[in-house]
Each structure stands twice: as C-alpha cells, then as structure tokens.
Amino acid sequence: DARMWTTARDAANTNPDLLKLVPGSAAFSEEFSVTYLGKDYPCFTGYDAGNQPVGYVIYTSAAGLEGLVEIATGVDMQGVITSVDLRSWSDREGRGMVGDDYFSLYTGLPGSDAGSVDAVSQATVTSDAVNRAVKTAYSVFGILEGGN
C-alpha cells in the first residue's frame, strides 16, 4: 500500500502550498514518488490533526503550447479533486494562459471526470495540457489507493 511509505507520525511537512490543496489537512508526508506509465510523479500524503490520511497532493505536467504546464492536484480519499494549482508554465505571459477561474472548475469533480472541463477559448492547447495533467494525477491516485 503506497500510503504506508510515510506514516502519520512522520508527517511534519506543513508547507502552506500543500495545505491549501487538501481541506482538513494539518501536515503532509515528505515527498515520495509513484511511477505511472514509466514516469515518476512526486506525491505527498495529507493528514488531519488526528493523524488520519485526508488526501494527496500529486505533481504532474503535460506539454503546453511552448513547453510544460506543471500543476499540483489535491485529491481527497474518496477520489474527489479538492484543488488544482498551477506550479509553472513555459508559455509566454498573455499567450496560451488560463486563469485561476479555470483551475477552480476542477474543484469538487470526481477524479474520473477530470477530463470533462472545457478548454478555454484562445488557450486551447494550455487548457488541454491542464486536462491531461489532472487526468494523470487521478491515475496516480488510483495507484496510491491500490488500483492499477
């Protein structure tokens, strides 16, 4: 079980960038990797104040217009997306950009619906990259929860 890589008592990571991605989290594990389709993805397990796991943050990326779009996806223990946050992108400012409102469209979706968010007009390639990266995060979540 991938969750056993770090135990709750070892969760001392209180990085605010992680805490905002999984509601109810008080601390996170140290970073560990999960391999999906031959690539390693950084992950963190979130724990509540009672040291119970409440979700994961999974870092993924996909090709955008001019380079990688890198995101952090929060997923709760039921597989619902709790947040998507842009970590970095290579597209020039003002071109191919999607705004914070776009990322909020993922919040509350079952991870299985991750690819259902419509692309943004004039930012289709970047929007599609975000969709692919969120879908990859959900696939990594499936591995974390014992799926394939």
Side-chain angles (χ1 to χ4, degrees):
D1 185 326
R3 287 181 291 173
M4 300 309 292
W5 293 344
T6 301
T7 62
R9 70 179 144 62
D10 295 330
N13 183 350
T14 57
N15 180 332
D17 290 335
L18 296 174
L19 293 171
K20 72 180 183 179
L21 294 172
V22 179
S25 59
F28 279 82
S29 67
E30 291 304 312
E31 181 179 310
F32 61 94
S33 292
V34 170
T35 303
Y36 172 67
L37 297 178
K39 184 173 178 187
D40 291 336
Y41 293 96
C43 301
F44 303 85
T45 304
Y47 297 93
D48 65 16
N51 291 326
Q52 296 301 308
V54 292
Y56 301 100
V57 172
I58 304 162
Y59 291 168
T60 57
S61 62
L65 186 62
E66 297 170 343
L68 288 180
V69 175
E70 299 178 15
I71 64 165
T73 303
V75 183
D76 70 16
M77 301 308 287
Q78 290 73 44
V80 174
I81 297 169
T82 57
S83 187
V84 174
D85 194 31
L86 182 66
R87 295 182 62 224
S88 70
W89 66 93
S90 299
D91 294 347
R92 285 178 275 170
E93 188 173 346
R95 181 171 173 213
M97 291 293 301
V98 294
D100 289 339
D101 289 343
Y102 179 76
F103 294 105
S104 69
L105 296 174
Y106 290 93
T107 302
L109 284 179
S112 56
D113 291 345
S116 67
V117 175
D118 290 334
V120 174
S121 177
Q122 298 183 4
T124 307
V125 175
T126 303
S127 304
D128 288 345
V130 172
N131 261 334
R132 288 191 313 276
V134 173
K135 286 171 66 173
T136 297
Y138 185 67
S139 295
V140 170
F141 168 78
I143 293 169
L144 287 164
E145 286 298 297
N148 44 15

